[in-house]
Amino acid sequence: MAQYQTLLYYCYSPIENAEKFAEDHLEFCKSLGLLGRIIVAEEGLNGTVSGTPEACKAYMEHVHADPRFAKTEFKVDDVEELSFIKMHCRYKEEIVHSGLRNPAEIDPNKQTGKHLEPKDFLAMKDQEDVVILDVRSNYEHNVGRFKNAVTLDIENFREFPEKVKELEHLKGKKILTYCTGGIKCEKASALLLKEGFEDVYQLHGGIIKYGKEAAGEDFEGECYVFDNRVTVPVNSVNPTVVSTCKNCGKITSKMINCANPICNEHFTQCDECGWELDGCCSDACKSHPKKREYDGTGYYVKVPQPVNIEKISKRKHKKLVKN
Ligand SMILES: [Zn+2]
Ligand SMILES: [Zn+2]
C-alpha cells in the first residue's frame, strides 16, 4: 500500500448553513490529520485532500455517510508524499467560480450535459459531428489537452460564460466537454445547454478518471492539478509532450512558479533553463532582491504577498456590504 493517498472529488448537493458546515468540516479534516483544500458553498462541496490511506478511507466513509453526499465519487491517487502543506476548508459562493451573475440560474442538479463514462467518451470523441471542448484555462491546456480539442483563451473559468459567444459556429454539433475532475463541466455544459447548444455531453470524472479507466488514450501532454504535484501523467497508451519551455522553446512538461515571489509567474521551463535562470522567468527576476532559493522543483510554499491596499479596501467593502 502506498504511503499516502490524494483524493479529488466534488458533489453538487444543497448545503444549508454552509459557512458553519465549512468550519465543522475543517475541524473534522484536521482531526484525521488530512491536508488539502476544500471549498464549501450552498451548492455543494469541492475538494482535494491528502493523507494516509487510513485517514483517506475514514474521510470517504464520513462523506458517504451523509445522505447529501452519498453519491460523491472520489478519484484516489497513490502518492509518495502529501500533496499539500496545510489544511484549508473555506466557504465560498460557488464551489467553482463561474462568474455567472446569478449562479442559481445554472443548477447542475436540474440540468447539465449528459455524463459520458471514459470508455464512452473515447468511443465517441473522433466521430465526425463531434467537437471536444476543453473548458479549462490557458495554463492548464497549455501543458496538456485532448488531441483535436478546441481550447479557449481564458485565464480563469470565470471568463467561460463570455467565451461561449465565440462558439456559436459549433451549434448543431455534438459537444463533448472535459476538465480536470469533472466539476467545471457540470456548469460549463449546463451553460451551453442554456445558450441553445442542444447535444451536450461531459466527460464524467474528468481527465483524472479518464486516465484511470481509458488509460488516457489521445490525451497529449500532462494533466494540470491543483496541488504540489502541479502536473500528473495520465496517458499510458500514446503519451506525448505538448508544452515548451518559455525560455528556450524545448519540449518540456515541467511547470514552475518564478522564483521571484513578486512575479510568481506560473509557466513551463526546462531543467537546463531552470538552473541557468535559477528558477526565474527572466534575468530581471533572477536579480530581484526578494528572489527565493531554487531547489530544482520550482514549487514554493505560499509566502504572504506584499500589502495590496486596493485588495484590502475591496475586502473591507465586501464585509460592510455583507453586514
Ligand atoms: Zn529551456
Ligand atoms: Zn518572473
Side-chain angles (χ1 to χ4, degrees):
M1 197 181 249
Q3 209 176 349
Y4 300 108
Q5 288 179 329
T6 295
L7 311 176
L8 175 70
Y9 63 94
Y10 69 86
C11 185
Y12 282 99
S13 182
I15 302 176
E16 270 179 48
N17 208 348
E19 290 194 64
K20 173 82 174 83
F21 178 92
E23 280 171 31
D24 296 344
H25 200 67
L26 175 64
E27 288 316 310
F28 175 69
C29 291
K30 284 184 173 169
S31 77
L32 289 176
L34 292 172
L35 299 178
R37 195 184 305 122
I38 300 170
I39 299 170
V40 178
E42 272 81 16
E43 63 181 3
L45 276 183
N46 172 19
T48 322
V49 294
S50 209
T52 61
E54 295 76 27
C56 288
K57 183 166 176 273
Y59 180 77
M60 290 188 277
E61 283 171 1
H62 174 84
V63 171
H64 280 151
D66 188 323
R68 292 172 292 185
F69 316 124
K71 59 178 193 217
T72 307
E73 279 190 34
F74 288 92
K75 271 85 69 181
V76 184
D77 274 334
D78 290 334
V79 291
E80 298 284 317
E81 312 164 28
L82 292 167
S83 306
F84 293 89
I85 46 162
K86 271 191 175 170
M87 184 66 233
H88 290 294
C89 180
R90 295 197 176 102
Y91 168 78
K92 289 193 177 170
E93 277 175 30
E94 294 178 84
I95 51 175
V96 151
H97 194 356
S98 67
L100 295 169
R101 248 179 245 140
N102 181 7
E105 268 180 58
I106 299 285
D107 182 353
N109 281 318
K110 291 193 184 125
Q111 191 192 32
T112 188
K114 285 166 253 179
H115 292 91
L116 283 179
E117 290 307 313
K119 291 255 160 72
D120 302 323
F121 181 93
L122 174 63
M124 201 169 152
K125 71 181 185 54
D126 294 322
Q127 289 171 13
E128 225 174 84
D129 53 342
V130 165
V131 173
I132 310 172
L133 178 64
D134 191 321
V135 306
R136 302 169 307 151
S137 307
N138 290 333
Y139 61 90
E140 298 173 282
H141 60 68
N142 278 345
V143 76
R145 58 197 168 256
F146 273 104
K147 189 174 87 188
N148 302 327
V150 171
T151 57
L152 304 170
D153 180 14
I154 54 176
E155 295 302 326
N156 192 295
F157 188 60
R158 276 195 299 273
E159 299 163 38
F160 181 79
E162 247 333 277
K163 281 283 164 185
V164 170
K165 292 174 191 146
E166 292 172 21
L167 303 174
E168 277 296 308
H169 62 288
L170 300 178
K171 271 188 184 164
K173 301 219 180 217
K174 287 194 180 104
I175 312 280
L176 269 55
T177 71
Y178 73 90
C179 62
T180 316
I183 185 171
K184 288 177 183 171
C185 284
E186 298 281 358
K187 280 190 180 170
S189 64
L191 184 71
L192 288 167
L193 287 167
K194 191 173 160 273
E195 294 295 323
F197 292 81
E198 282 170 9
D199 223 359
V200 184
Y201 300 79
Q202 56 183 316
L203 174 56
H204 187 211
I207 302 158
I208 299 298
K209 184 164 145 158
Y210 184 84
K212 297 181 195 303
E213 297 182 11
E217 188 170 344
D218 289 341
F219 189 84
E220 301 178 327
E222 297 206 338
C223 180
Y224 187 92
V225 291
F226 298 84
D227 60 57
N228 294 7
R229 294 172 295 170
V230 190
T231 62
V232 294
V234 289
N235 186 340
S236 53
V237 180
N238 50 355
T240 52
V241 181
V242 294
S243 50
T244 52
C245 172
K246 179 191 157 101
N247 302 107
C248 73
K250 208 174 90 180
I251 298 269
T252 179
S253 62
K254 187 180 183 187
M255 279 206 96
I256 70 156
N257 278 96
C258 178
N260 169 10
I262 311 303
C263 168
N264 204 37
E265 186 181 336
H266 201 37
F267 66 105
T268 42
Q269 185 180 61
C270 73
D271 276 323
E272 290 88 84
C273 289
W275 293 117
E276 176 86 27
L277 284 160
D278 219 13
C280 290
C281 69
S282 63
D283 284 318
C285 281
K286 190 181 172 184
S287 55
H288 195 279
K290 289 220 168 89
K291 197 193 88 61
R292 299 170 283 199
E293 199 170 322
Y294 179 63
D295 66 0
T297 65
Y299 179 79
Y300 303 93
V301 171
K302 261 208 178 134
V303 289
Q305 289 297 302
V307 178
N308 183 330
I309 304 292
E310 203 184 65
K311 255 191 194 162
I312 289 177
S313 62
K314 258 190 204 157
R315 223 179 286 150
K316 271 194 185 151
H317 179 72
K318 235 184 171 177
K319 263 196 184 154
L320 286 176
V321 172
K322 256 190 195 163
N323 296 340

